[in-house]
Amino acid sequence: MDKRLARFKHCDSRFYPYLEKVLERLPGEVKENLLNNTDLQIIADENLLDMCVLRYDFEDAVKNLVCST
């Protein structure tokens, strides 16, 4: 597993194998851009749709957010 995936701290670790499969199919430059882009965050939480309000704190400002349930 690429250690840079650990920066997605709100992403359920069970989602990592699927994320890695997608990243493996990308051209190298695109993959590197995604993994190094601190404006991007991924949230994967099985309880996401059950909650009325969720709050996540990120170390850096997020411009692109990917949510998966």
Side-chain angles (χ1 to χ4, degrees):
M1 179 178 91
D2 192 308
K3 292 183 180 186
R4 292 175 289 181
L5 291 176
R7 75 176 178 85
F8 302 122
K9 64 182 181 179
H10 300 294
C11 183
D12 188 322
S13 61
R14 295 176 292 181
F15 188 68
Y16 287 171
Y18 302 105
L19 185 56
E20 285 183 315
K21 278 186 177 182
V22 169
L23 291 172
E24 287 174 6
R25 295 178 181 163
L26 296 174
E29 185 178 333
V30 174
K31 176 183 175 180
E32 289 302 311
N33 287 341
L34 282 173
L35 289 173
N36 294 323
N37 181 0
T38 58
D39 293 341
L40 171 70
Q41 273 295 328
I42 298 175
I43 297 174
D45 185 345
E46 63 186 11
N47 298 316
L48 193 63
L49 295 178
D50 295 334
M51 302 292 179
C52 294
V53 176
L54 291 176
R55 180 175 186 259
Y56 295 99
D57 291 321
F58 301 103
E59 293 176 19
D60 298 315
V62 175
K63 293 181 180 176
N64 302 293
L65 184 64
V66 178
C67 298
S68 177
T69 56

